[in-house]
Amino acid sequence: MINLSKIQFKSLLSIIAFSLVFLVLGCEKEKVTPDDEEEEEEEEELSPYTSLNRAIYEQMEDIYLWNDSLPDINPSEYDTPEEFLAALRYQPLDKWSFIMTTTEFNEYFGAGEYLGHGFMITLDDDDNIRIGFVYKNTQSYREGIRRSWIIKKVNGTDATAENVSELLGSTEEAITNTILFLDTEGNEQEISLTKETVEINTVLHSEIIEQGSKKIGYMVFETFISTAIEELEAVFEEFKAESIDELIIDLRYNGGGMNTVAEYIGSWIGGNRSNSVFYKLIHNENNESRDVTVNFTENAEALDLSRIFFITTGSSASASELLINGLTPYYDVNIVGSTTGGKPVGMYTISFTRYNYTLAPISFKYVNADDYGDFYDGLSVDYEAEDDKTRLFGDQEESSLKTALSVIAGETVSVQRSAALPSESKIILPKRGGLDQFLKAY
């Protein structure tokens, strides 16, 4: 069992952005003092958030990775901090910097909670609205709803990709929806669900698959948040006790999260390499003193592996890519599925207590021990496979898992190494402002 103090939790506000890298080293700052109170009152007539917008601009000038490309715009002309930050983003590359209420931020990254039904929805190749996964501690799970179920109607209205988010309603109210599903057997089931506080379980599935004389550890991991540590510990301790020969980590829907959680997973794989570089963070010229090299955390119980398999899609990003990229110099890393999301950058978080807002601007890029990074087009796959949404996690006939198992078995599998753009994940995201890139479930 790992001594968690060694994982060096820099802060619960340290997160790896859910698209391609991660919100690392949680850095709390408070700087929300306008130059002049009289000027503030005058400007507040134009926008109630003028002083906050000014403070945002000041922080962006300092910590933003592309601070030399900030536009010259007037903070008082933007009605919300969200609109202002959108105008500040470095458009060619930055899709991830966000600002959101501190309350919502802490609920998700600290407590691992949100209000909803606890399921993610996605489209299959026939444009059916499929359940992608269901969190376990929810009414949805207790009612028997599972991955692959199809949503046909919500409150009597036919559900489509265009209207299903609106039909399911606000993510801030405990509303009740009556949903008509088709289950895995093709039977109709009408179920009424009330939105509730969902406790996120980050490990969606884990098992040991026996293939001949080999034991293969398989885990579906959905998000890098602080509450994941206990779940991950239980899974890796089982894998260690069973002396697995191969490891498959399924990150197909994992958009990222906290870098410290990536370090924790890395310790179970590379923990016997504690003097070796896991990743390096590189900042703008103003903040070169923040540049840091992070080694693998020592773990005497680390798995004894020579290769690792990762299952990915275009929704695999941030901390997911950090983990894959960091292990690549040392292991035979095999990526199965489709090209990842492409986010080789991360954020610090800055809290404006007076306004109950937290800003997460892209603040650094990361590279591995070979100084490889800047993969904005994603990490390309070694073996191409579909995300078969009609099958449950762990079904050995599901395309991505089947491909990984075939490679392990030594069977001939088609190889694809082109640097293609990230594949369409076809996930239908609820609108939650800054959490869009992290929280995919309704």
Side-chain angles (χ1 to χ4, degrees):
M1 180 163 150
I2 295 179
N3 182 348
L4 293 186
S5 64
K6 293 183 179 180
I7 302 304
Q8 299 175 351
F9 278 86
K10 293 144 185 130
S11 163
L12 288 184
L13 299 185
S14 240
I15 56 183
I16 290 183
F18 261 52
S19 6
L20 175 85
V21 158
F22 54 106
L23 313 186
V24 180
L25 313 169
C27 173
E28 263 191 344
K29 298 183 183 177
E30 270 186 55
K31 241 177 178 181
V32 197
T33 307
D35 295 332
D36 181 89
E37 288 186 7
E38 184 177 337
E39 179 183 359
E40 178 187 1
E41 290 177 4
E42 181 180 342
E43 289 183 326
E44 291 289 359
E45 294 178 4
L46 297 176
S47 168
Y49 289 108
T50 293
S51 60
L52 173 56
N53 288 348
R54 291 174 60 190
I56 290 169
Y57 195 90
E58 182 179 351
Q59 295 294 337
M60 295 286 279
E61 284 184 307
D62 174 33
I63 198 66
Y64 192 48
L65 183 61
W66 300 288
N67 62 343
D68 57 354
S69 298
L70 288 171
D72 184 13
I73 56 179
N74 187 345
S76 66
E77 294 179 356
Y78 293 85
D79 293 333
T80 68
E82 290 84 359
E83 291 177 5
F84 183 58
L85 181 61
L88 291 177
R89 281 178 175 175
Y90 179 56
Q91 293 304 320
L93 295 178
D94 186 5
K95 298 176 288 186
W96 310 289
S97 293
F98 69 87
I99 188 167
M100 63 191 301
T101 68
T102 301
T103 300
E104 188 177 20
F105 181 94
N106 290 340
E107 285 176 353
Y108 181 71
F109 289 104
E113 296 178 349
Y114 74 97
L115 187 68
H117 290 315
F119 55 68
M120 183 271 280
I121 56 177
T122 181
L123 292 178
D124 64 19
D125 291 340
D126 296 320
D127 289 337
N128 293 307
I129 301 171
R130 295 265 184 184
I131 299 295
F133 62 77
V134 185
Y135 292 127
K136 292 181 181 178
N137 299 316
T138 59
Q139 180 191 2
S140 296
Y141 193 88
R142 292 189 296 272
E143 293 283 356
I145 300 166
R146 294 294 184 268
R147 173 176 166 85
S148 85
W149 281 33
I150 295 173
I151 294 178
K152 298 296 292 182
K153 295 177 183 288
V154 178
N155 300 322
T157 300
D158 290 340
T160 67
E162 292 73 29
N163 71 6
V164 68
S165 294
E166 182 179 355
L167 293 177
L168 289 171
S170 169
T171 58
E172 300 173 354
E173 300 177 31
I175 61 176
T176 297
N177 289 309
T178 300
I179 305 174
L180 180 65
F181 295 94
L182 289 183
D183 64 20
T184 52
E185 304 298 324
N187 300 316
E188 290 189 350
Q189 295 205 36
E190 188 172 77
I191 301 174
S192 290
L193 300 172
T194 300
K195 293 190 177 183
E196 59 187 333
T197 298
V198 175
E199 296 181 4
I200 296 168
N201 61 280
T202 62
V203 177
L204 299 176
H205 179 86
S206 69
E207 65 175 303
I208 294 175
I209 299 170
E210 297 194 10
Q211 185 184 83
S213 62
K214 286 189 173 183
K215 290 184 177 180
I216 304 165
Y218 173 61
M219 172 180 67
V220 184
F221 185 55
E222 195 265 326
T223 184
F224 291 76
I225 55 177
S226 62
T227 55
I229 296 295
E230 186 175 351
E231 294 180 68
L232 290 168
E233 183 174 47
V235 171
F236 279 111
E237 285 184 344
E238 180 185 8
F239 288 171
K240 179 66 176 181
E242 292 293 328
S243 300
I244 62 170
D245 303 290
E246 305 277 1
L247 175 63
I248 303 172
I249 301 180
D250 192 333
L251 301 171
R252 71 182 72 193
Y253 302 134
N254 194 317
M258 300 172 68
N259 62 315
T260 46
V261 179
E263 291 170 31
Y264 184 79
I265 297 174
S267 75
W268 277 101
I269 300 170
N272 52 2
R273 300 177 179 272
S274 57
N275 293 321
S276 299
V277 174
F278 186 20
Y279 65 87
K280 293 181 273 189
L281 302 185
I282 301 170
H283 300 74
N284 64 28
E285 290 184 359
N286 291 351
N287 291 276
E288 290 179 347
S289 62
R290 293 176 181 263
D291 291 355
V292 65
T293 296
V294 178
N295 289 348
F296 288 97
T297 302
E298 182 180 358
N299 179 7
E301 299 298 313
L303 301 172
D304 183 17
L305 301 169
S306 60
R307 68 176 175 179
I308 306 102
F309 288 79
F310 290 98
I311 293 175
T312 66
T313 66
S315 293
S316 309
S318 186
S320 292
E321 293 168 307
L322 172 75
L323 178 63
I324 297 169
N325 194 50
L327 292 170
T328 297
Y330 307 102
Y331 297 90
D332 177 12
V333 171
N334 295 265
I335 304 177
V336 177
S338 51
T339 307
T340 64
K343 185 174 178 281
V345 290
M347 300 101 150
Y348 291 121
T349 58
I350 302 163
S351 295
F352 301 103
T353 304
R354 173 181 170 187
Y355 296 93
N356 189 34
Y357 267 96
T358 292
L359 170 68
I362 294 298
S363 308
F364 52 83
K365 66 178 182 178
Y366 70 88
V367 298
N368 64 16
D370 294 334
D371 291 323
Y372 180 70
D374 292 330
F375 45 85
Y376 291 97
D377 290 335
L379 297 171
S380 59
V381 300
D382 299 292
Y383 302 95
E384 197 168 36
E386 293 183 4
D387 171 19
D388 186 352
K389 305 172 183 70
T390 68
R391 295 182 182 273
L392 300 177
F393 294 128
D395 185 331
Q396 295 182 31
E397 290 301 311
E398 189 277 317
S399 177
S400 297
L401 179 57
K402 182 178 182 179
T403 299
L405 294 175
S406 297
V407 176
I408 291 172
E411 299 172 5
T412 301
V413 177
S414 61
V415 177
Q416 187 271 349
R417 292 182 182 272
S418 64
L421 292 175
S423 62
E424 286 291 331
S425 61
K426 294 188 177 180
I427 293 175
I428 304 174
L429 295 173
K431 298 301 181 185
R432 286 191 175 91
L435 277 179
D436 287 358
Q437 57 189 297
F438 300 101
L439 182 52
K440 298 177 172 62
Y442 283 81

